[in-house]
Amino acid sequence: MIVERIWTGNAYRNFNYLIACPDTGEALAIDPLDHEKCLAAAKAHGWRITQILNTHEHHDHTGGNAAVVAATGAKVIAHHRTGGRIAGVDRGVKAGDVIKVGKRVELECMDTPGHTMCHICLRSHTDRPALFSGDTLFNAGAGNCHNGGDPAVLYETFVKQLAALPDDTQVYPGHDYIENNLKFTLAREPDNAAAKALLPRVEGQDPATSMVTTLREEKAFNTFFRLTSPSVIATLRESFPDLPEQPDAKTVFVKLRELRNSW
């Protein structure tokens, strides 16, 4: 499996992805908003985009579909309950469905609601697992729930699905927000050594060449995985004085997401 991460450089700080089979040159485009860059990258590598996967229905992930389909004839894949919110869907997928690319690339669909209620993440069937997480999991952060989502549902996705993946899983999100997310981590957990060490490395970095984190690293510096940290809970109580002495993890997650909304 070959992963080409495409930095759009737009105001939304989107990442687009091409996943290619080294044997056949067939490629899957994930959320190819910047269709010009995606098509140019495929052409430069000699790949043929045969499929498009939209992680969810928001325009900054689907806006390039029509142009890529027009140029390549690619089939559009999305959550099976997306309905008319994404135009021209050829295949609806659910949890456990496998998307095959060429001869030997297989990507398993995960039904990961929360950012929206029809969100797909993809996990690779490779020796070194990869997760294409759309707007569910960001580097050092979690997706917002402003436009059709639910933070309590996002919590369930984090703890029951994402946290259970292998620790060496590489994380490929839909946006570059790592610098601001790490600053949020340190505001919520000032003694987080992993976040303190990483922040200087990513400040002002070029996202086109930025690091790819692993789930193990995310669990060390991503606040939304650190729901039982005494430091996180103590700092959270400063904003929410009525927080119970030993709050449950879902409450901590939802309150963190509330604070992140205005960060």
Side-chain angles (χ1 to χ4, degrees):
M1 180 180 77
I2 304 170
V3 178
E4 178 82 3
R5 184 179 62 177
I6 297 168
W7 167 239
T8 63
N10 66 13
Y12 299 108
R13 304 186 68 82
N14 288 84
F15 283 127
N16 301 165
Y17 297 94
L18 297 179
I19 313 301
C21 172
D23 295 341
T24 67
E26 294 177 60
L28 168 75
I30 299 178
D31 294 337
L33 174 65
D34 194 326
H35 58 275
E36 292 181 350
K37 287 185 178 180
C38 290
L39 291 169
K43 183 178 180 180
H45 289 292
W47 298 339
R48 293 176 294 108
I49 299 175
T50 58
Q51 300 173 91
I52 295 168
L53 182 283
N54 289 137
T55 57
H56 62 291
E57 67 269 24
H58 291 160
H59 181 74
D60 63 315
H61 293 256
T62 65
N65 284 8
V68 175
V69 170
T72 66
K75 302 299 184 182
V76 177
I77 305 168
H79 194 284
H80 69 106
R81 290 191 288 105
T82 298
R85 285 169 289 185
I86 298 177
V89 174
D90 297 290
R91 178 187 175 190
V93 290
K94 57 185 183 301
D97 286 351
V98 173
I99 298 171
K100 295 184 178 181
V101 185
K103 288 184 178 179
R104 55 189 172 102
V105 177
E106 292 189 350
L107 300 162
E108 181 181 339
C109 298
M110 301 173 65
D111 191 340
T112 52
H115 174 65
T116 72
M117 302 312 287
C118 295
H119 193 293
I120 292 288
C121 290
L122 293 179
R123 55 176 299 196
S124 67
H125 290 178
T126 48
D127 292 338
R128 179 70 182 275
L131 177 71
F132 300 91
S133 57
D135 285 6
T136 296
L137 170 64
F138 296 128
N139 299 132
N144 68 53
C145 303
H146 301 324
N147 298 298
D150 185 325
V153 174
L154 187 62
Y155 162 79
E156 298 291 336
T157 290
F158 260 65
V159 300
K160 292 182 178 178
Q161 296 195 66
L162 302 183
L165 294 174
D167 279 349
D168 63 343
T169 300
Q170 293 180 298
V171 178
Y172 293 97
H175 298 264
D176 169 58
Y177 298 145
I178 189 169
E179 181 177 338
N180 204 34
N181 284 340
L182 286 171
K183 290 176 179 177
F184 179 75
T185 290
L186 290 171
R188 309 318 319 161
E189 189 179 14
D191 56 351
N192 187 303
K196 284 182 180 179
L198 183 57
L199 181 58
R201 292 174 52 193
V202 304
E203 286 182 307
Q205 70 176 354
D206 179 1
T209 57
S210 61
M211 67 182 294
V212 176
T213 67
T214 65
L215 195 58
R216 178 182 292 106
E217 291 169 323
E218 292 293 332
K219 289 176 180 178
F221 54 64
N222 188 324
T223 313
F224 293 93
F225 282 119
R226 301 184 57 76
L227 307 177
T228 61
S229 162
S231 179
V232 168
I233 293 170
T235 308
L236 195 62
R237 188 169 285 108
E238 296 173 5
S239 300
F240 301 99
D242 295 336
L243 198 69
E245 186 63 28
Q246 294 183 318
D248 62 274
K250 179 183 284 188
T251 297
V252 174
F253 186 99
V254 171
K255 294 299 187 184
L256 287 171
R257 186 57 259 178
E258 182 179 337
L259 290 174
R260 183 65 179 84
N261 289 343
S262 57
W263 177 258

